[in-house]
């Protein structure tokens, strides 16, 4: 079975690397080809290098100030050309990026089966997150195979009329990648990162959501500033996304704040080990909501809604929105109340056991056996 794996962004690469490696283990069953769209370039390349993902095609589509429309059209055209070259039996896409939606659509136009890894996540609000919520809602009915990370994700698919026979509950592949990296000893090359969390409680921040740009993002930054201003034993490390909407505001509000370290985006391996030594994580990201609980770290989500409600229900994560006051007060409660902190830190992570990629490979092996016999 010829499998084409399409990857566009850093999170996709992290979550698809274990899938590629697992499929490669079944080398008598699968011929695996990887295509990068490079919707993100620099951030993506870091992960490709770390996991040594073999890349056959690189569309290199990233361009300055590209719009969502640009990305969608360019991925659609680019993947269509690759499909004509490779003639795969199955195309695998991941999650909620514009790359994933457009690659699934290109596959549909060519009448090639597609599988959606991390299918079924929903917020039920089409603008939060934007454009990710609609990307995944459109990708699922296009795809033939749905790899749902949780029962809740499967329930979403069933409510939308997706056939149960097309759904496999796998757990989340990000846990596969995380456990591999976290179990490997690591020494920080950067002295600031090596020292972080040694003498003070470390809060790790990721914040870059498009729908938060403007007043909401300003309030998030002000909330972070209030945290360090009121807690001398706390420091923040914030790897700042290169998007000017993020970087300009973060530098203006946090650039002069004591014990706030604004750093360039951190490669995946040191980021995982930074999570390991953090006290808690403050984020508006998706994957971090799944990763940090596996390391026993409470996650405060700076969004109004999340497509990952399992972590909220399990108690490993909490929605704090983008209110300056609420962000500060919630973090302060976890800093002051050890019982509240431990309740979150010790809650069971609902996102899997590190074998999601194996379950995907096993499912495709069954498909290969029935379609190629």
């Amino acid at each position: 079975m010829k499998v084409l794996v399409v990857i566009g962004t850093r999170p996709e690469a992290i979550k698809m690397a274990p899938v590629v490696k697992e499929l490669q283990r079944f080398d008598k069953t699968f011929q695996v080809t990887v295509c990068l769209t490079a919707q993100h370039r620099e951030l993506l390349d870091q992960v490709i290098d770390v996991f040594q993902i073999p890349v056959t095609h690189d569309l290199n589509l990233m361009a300055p100030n590209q719009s969502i429309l640009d990305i969608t059209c360019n991925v659609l055209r680019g993947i269509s050309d690759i499909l004509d070259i490779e003639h795969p039996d199955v195309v695998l896409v991941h999650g909620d990026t514009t790359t994933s939606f457009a690659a699934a659509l290109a596959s549909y136009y060519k009448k090639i089966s597609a599988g959606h890894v991390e299918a079924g996540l929903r917020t039920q609000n089409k603008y939060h997150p934007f454009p990710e919520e609609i990307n995944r809602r459109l990708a699922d009915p296009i795809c033939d195979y749905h790899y749902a990370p949780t029962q809740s994700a499967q329930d979403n698919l069933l409510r939308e009329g997706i056939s149960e026979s097309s759904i496999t509950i796998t757990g989340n592949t990000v846990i596969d990648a995380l456990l591999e990296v976290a179990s490997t000893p690591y020494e920080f090359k950067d002295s600031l990162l090596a020292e972080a969390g040694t003498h003070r409680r470390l809060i790790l921040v990721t914040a870059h959501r498009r729908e938060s740009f403007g007043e909401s993002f300003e309030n998030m930054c002000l909330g972070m500033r209030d945290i360090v201003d009121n807690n001398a034993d706390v420091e923040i490390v914030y790897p700042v996304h290169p998007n000017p909407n993020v970087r300009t505001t973060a530098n203006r509000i946090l650039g002069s704040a004591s014990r706030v370290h604004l750093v360039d985006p951190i490669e995946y391996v040191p980021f995982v080990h930074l999570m390991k030594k953090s006290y808690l994580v403050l984020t508006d990201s998706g994957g971090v909501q799944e990763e940090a609980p596996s390391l026993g770290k409470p996650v405060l989500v700076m969004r109004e809604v999340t497509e990952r409600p399992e972590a909220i229900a399990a108690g490993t994560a909490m929605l704090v929105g983008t209110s300056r006051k609420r962000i500060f007060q919630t973090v302060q409660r976890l800093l002051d109340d050890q019982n509240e902190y431990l309740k979150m830190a010790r809650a069971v992570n609902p996102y899997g056991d590190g074998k999601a990629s194996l379950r995907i490979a096993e499912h495709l092996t069954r498909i290969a056996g029935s379609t190629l016999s």
Side-chain angles (χ1 to χ4, degrees):
M1 174 182 273
K2 295 185 69 174
V3 181
L4 176 67
V5 178
V6 181
I7 298 171
T9 67
R10 167 175 147 151
E12 283 174 89
I14 292 167
K15 294 183 174 189
M16 289 300 263
V19 178
V20 172
K21 288 188 171 185
E22 197 64 51
L23 293 175
Q24 287 175 324
R25 286 202 317 112
F26 293 75
D27 58 349
K28 293 182 179 178
T29 305
F30 303 114
Q31 178 185 327
V32 184
T33 303
V34 176
C35 176
L36 303 185
T37 68
Q39 178 182 331
H40 295 166
R41 179 78 271 172
E42 186 178 341
L43 301 179
L44 171 62
D45 289 344
Q46 295 170 2
V47 178
I48 296 298
D49 291 341
V50 165
F51 288 102
Q52 298 183 315
I53 302 173
V55 176
T56 304
H57 302 282
D58 188 341
L59 300 180
N60 196 27
L61 296 180
M62 185 171 181
N65 301 314
Q66 60 189 349
S67 69
I68 301 170
L69 181 63
D70 294 330
I71 298 168
T72 306
C73 294
N74 292 335
V75 172
L76 192 58
R77 291 192 187 99
I79 294 299
S80 180
D81 291 342
I82 299 302
L83 295 176
D84 287 339
I85 295 168
E86 292 293 341
H87 300 289
D89 299 296
V90 175
V91 176
L92 290 183
V93 300
H94 180 279
D96 56 16
T97 69
T98 301
T99 282
S100 296
F101 161 58
L105 186 59
S107 303
Y108 168 71
Y109 286 161
K110 299 286 185 180
K111 297 186 178 179
I112 296 171
S113 296
H116 189 190
V117 178
E118 200 180 87
L121 276 64
R122 300 289 185 271
T123 65
Q124 308 304 338
N125 183 326
K126 70 179 183 179
Y127 292 115
H128 291 272
F130 173 83
E132 290 86 355
E133 174 72 3
I134 289 301
N135 283 341
R136 56 180 159 240
R137 281 204 230 173
L138 294 174
D140 279 326
I142 291 172
C143 288
D144 303 273
Y145 314 123
H146 304 86
Y147 302 111
T150 64
Q151 181 65 53
S152 174
Q154 174 174 269
D155 292 344
N156 289 333
L157 293 169
L158 294 174
R159 276 193 292 270
E160 293 170 9
I162 301 295
S163 169
E164 187 171 4
S165 63
S166 76
I167 304 170
T168 304
I169 298 179
T170 59
N172 200 299
T173 60
V174 76
I175 307 303
D176 303 17
L178 177 78
L179 295 180
E180 178 186 336
V181 171
S183 63
T184 305
Y186 181 79
E187 289 187 13
F188 289 94
K189 298 177 181 67
D190 184 296
S191 58
L192 188 154
L193 300 183
E195 188 73 11
T198 304
H199 305 294
R200 299 182 181 91
R201 289 182 285 184
L202 170 63
I203 296 176
L204 181 59
V205 172
T206 65
H208 65 272
R209 283 284 179 193
R210 190 186 300 263
E211 68 268 19
S212 298
F213 293 169
E215 183 179 356
S216 292
F217 186 66
E218 290 205 6
N219 286 333
M220 289 155 65
C221 291
L222 289 167
M224 295 176 219
R225 180 147 192 161
D226 291 341
I227 292 162
V228 291
D229 286 348
N230 286 275
N231 296 277
D233 68 332
V234 168
E235 63 182 319
I236 288 175
V237 171
Y238 178 8
V240 183
H241 195 281
N243 188 306
N245 291 292
V246 175
R247 187 152 286 195
T248 302
T249 302
N251 285 333
R252 174 167 53 82
I253 296 175
L254 296 169
S256 62
S258 176
R259 289 169 280 106
V260 175
H261 311 293
L262 301 179
V263 299
D264 288 334
I266 300 172
E267 294 183 9
Y268 182 63
V269 173
F271 184 82
V272 168
H273 288 273
L274 205 56
M275 267 198 294
K276 279 180 70 175
K277 63 176 184 170
S278 67
Y279 187 77
L280 60 83
V281 177
L282 199 55
T283 187
D284 68 359
S285 303
V288 175
Q289 296 176 52
E290 299 151 347
E291 292 169 315
S294 289
L295 301 174
K297 308 301 175 181
V299 181
L300 301 183
V301 184
M302 296 184 291
R303 290 164 58 182
E304 302 303 329
V305 291
T306 179
E307 65 283 2
R308 292 165 170 87
E310 299 90 350
I312 308 296
T316 63
M318 185 185 304
L319 279 173
V320 295
T322 59
S323 157
R324 172 183 182 176
K325 182 178 180 182
R326 189 173 178 205
I327 290 168
F328 168 67
Q329 289 180 339
T330 308
V331 171
Q332 193 65 53
R333 186 166 74 249
L334 293 181
L335 292 172
D336 293 342
D337 190 329
Q338 187 70 0
N339 289 331
E340 285 294 311
Y341 176 84
L342 291 175
K343 237 189 269 184
M344 292 188 72
R346 292 174 177 171
V348 177
N349 178 30
Y351 292 113
D353 56 5
K355 296 181 181 178
S357 301
L358 174 61
R359 294 184 183 101
I360 292 168
E362 288 175 339
H363 172 263
L364 286 174
T365 300
R366 294 192 293 274
I367 299 296
S370 62
T371 59
L372 303 181
S373 58

